[in-house]
Amino acid sequence: MTRRRVAIIGAGMAGASLAAELAATDDVLLLEAEAHPGFHATGRSAAFWSETYGGPLVQPLTSASGPFLHAPPADFASQGFLRTRGELLLARDRAVLAAMAAEFATSGVPIEWRDPHGVVEGLRGPWHALWSPGCADIDVGALHAAYLAQARRSGVALRCDARLTGGRRAGGQWRLETVTGEDVVADIVVNAAGAWADEVAVLLGAAPQGIRPYRRTVVQVRVDPPASPDLPLVMDAAGGFYFKPEPGGRLWLTPHDETPDRPHDVAAEEIDVALAIDRFEAAVDWRVEAVERRWAGLRSFAPDRLPVYGFDAWVPGFFWCAGQGGFGIQTAPAAARLCAALLGVGNVPQGVDAAVYSPHRLSE
């Protein structure tokens, strides 16, 4: 069987995981615009795995990724990438949580009502809560490194500082141009460029899918009283904030912002840092003593907020692997297997409907 040449644009979690899946059957080249992989969304993740996060249409990918993340094959990693923490979903309005519970009623995701004041001390005022016991921290750096290592062992070539500048398809093949001057020939191009996905599409003659980047801010804060290491992920189901504990009594805190932005090396803005602290101190009777770190990342969404996985409707040999929003890390194993299956390698993960994520839905 003739091995195909597959060029994957972007070596973040999406590109690295797919490269590892394809390497046994295809000659794969990873083209990364930055000096090292994972510089943008992958390296700035809030690092948790939650089956409720992203909604019921994303949940099948998250759930299908769980077994791999908990217990990867021995030849991939020596230990799992998850540490169970639990998730407390809060709302002032009980109806918000009731609607969420109904959405996941037939999913198999364990969710139960819980008194939030018995879980988080110092909550201000009345809150209702759902408890999701399976939520876990993800070791994002270790997972990304493991995918890159697996890809490298299987013969995948990685080119960093190799931003795509153009390309064309002729005679059934792609000829890609990068800032390095290297002439890349490929049978298939995979667009795993994150916030730059639509820009890559336009460069290669495909119609943009309306994938828009949004800024998300995270701060590490020192609080009084210090946060217990056993605190769960605490999330406002109405989208106002979430926080999780870090070593030394610190918290990672976000105002759950989604500010439309452009593809670039995004940074936290003071107004969003202030908003995070204001919402936090309105929810709990704790005081923020210091902001020790602040950063921002870009979450990229298609118009319907679902990932885009599959061959382009109009441009042959152009494959989409983009629009993962804020759940690209937690769904990476299943998403990589799904994309590999759509590329003719392996099977679609059980319980996942590939048609839900097809780019054709955005082109009709």
Side-chain angles (χ1 to χ4, degrees):
M1 179 178 175
T2 303
R3 292 172 66 90
R4 299 174 300 183
R5 287 170 291 186
V6 180
I8 300 178
I9 313 301
M13 190 68 79
S17 57
L18 181 54
E21 290 289 335
L22 295 177
T25 58
D26 297 302
D27 293 327
V28 181
L29 172 65
L30 272 170
L31 292 174
E32 170 56 48
E34 304 296 345
H36 58 82
F39 180 78
H40 294 286
T42 297
R44 307 178 195 195
S45 167
F48 60 80
W49 179 86
S50 164
E51 289 178 284
T52 66
Y53 200 57
L57 293 179
V58 172
Q59 173 266 319
L61 288 170
T62 305
S63 297
S65 297
F68 180 94
L69 292 171
H70 275 291
D75 62 349
F76 183 82
S78 59
Q79 59 186 21
F81 301 98
L82 298 183
R83 178 184 177 277
T84 302
R85 175 170 298 284
E87 176 183 22
L88 193 71
L89 294 151
L90 298 174
R92 299 287 191 186
D93 183 354
R94 184 183 174 90
V96 172
L97 296 176
M100 176 177 288
E103 283 185 325
F104 288 96
T106 61
S107 67
V109 176
I111 302 175
E112 61 188 46
W113 290 97
R114 180 71 60 90
D115 174 13
H117 298 275
V119 180
V120 180
E121 295 184 6
L123 283 174
R124 291 181 182 270
W127 287 95
H128 304 281
L130 290 173
W131 173 249
S132 180
C135 180
D137 297 336
I138 304 178
D139 189 336
V140 178
L143 178 63
H144 187 221
Y147 272 126
L148 288 172
Q150 176 82 344
R152 184 175 59 252
R153 288 193 299 270
S154 301
V156 173
L158 170 64
R159 301 281 190 274
C160 292
D161 290 319
R163 182 178 297 277
L164 188 72
T165 57
R168 60 186 179 86
R169 186 171 175 85
Q173 288 187 324
W174 288 99
R175 291 196 173 273
L176 306 178
E177 302 162 4
T178 73
V179 294
T180 67
E182 179 181 5
D183 187 21
V184 176
V185 178
D187 301 302
I188 295 170
V189 172
V190 175
N191 183 1
W196 286 262
D198 270 2
E199 290 188 4
V200 165
V202 171
L203 278 175
L204 298 183
Q209 300 295 303
I211 296 175
R212 183 87 182 265
Y214 297 82
R215 187 175 69 249
R216 167 62 51 85
T217 306
V218 183
V219 294
Q220 179 176 298
V221 293
R222 187 175 74 247
V223 294
D224 181 30
S228 166
D230 298 324
L231 192 72
L233 171 69
V234 180
M235 182 170 295
D236 174 15
F241 61 84
Y242 64 77
F243 57 86
K244 57 177 282 194
E246 286 295 304
R250 273 66 172 171
L251 288 174
W252 276 10
L253 166 67
T254 172
H256 217 270
D257 51 327
E258 283 189 0
T259 306
D261 212 320
R262 59 186 175 84
H264 71 296
D265 183 9
V266 66
E269 297 194 4
E270 288 298 330
I271 189 171
D272 297 321
V273 173
L275 182 62
I277 294 171
D278 180 67
R279 290 179 176 177
F280 174 74
E281 292 187 334
V284 296
D285 189 21
W286 302 351
R287 186 169 63 89
V288 173
E289 293 189 323
V291 175
E292 297 181 331
R293 292 176 58 203
R294 66 193 71 196
W295 66 97
L298 293 177
R299 304 151 48 85
S300 302
F301 287 101
D304 61 3
R305 297 182 68 85
L306 293 178
V308 185
Y309 297 139
F311 279 105
D312 189 84
W314 307 107
V315 179
F318 187 84
F319 189 95
W320 290 86
C321 180
Q324 292 90 346
F327 32 83
I329 306 297
Q330 67 175 31
T331 61
R337 295 199 305 272
L338 168 62
C339 288
L342 295 174
L343 286 161
V345 179
N347 299 311
V348 173
Q350 186 174 1
V352 173
D353 181 358
V356 171
Y357 315 111
S358 171
H360 293 214
R361 76 184 194 272
L362 301 171
S363 305
E364 293 172 350

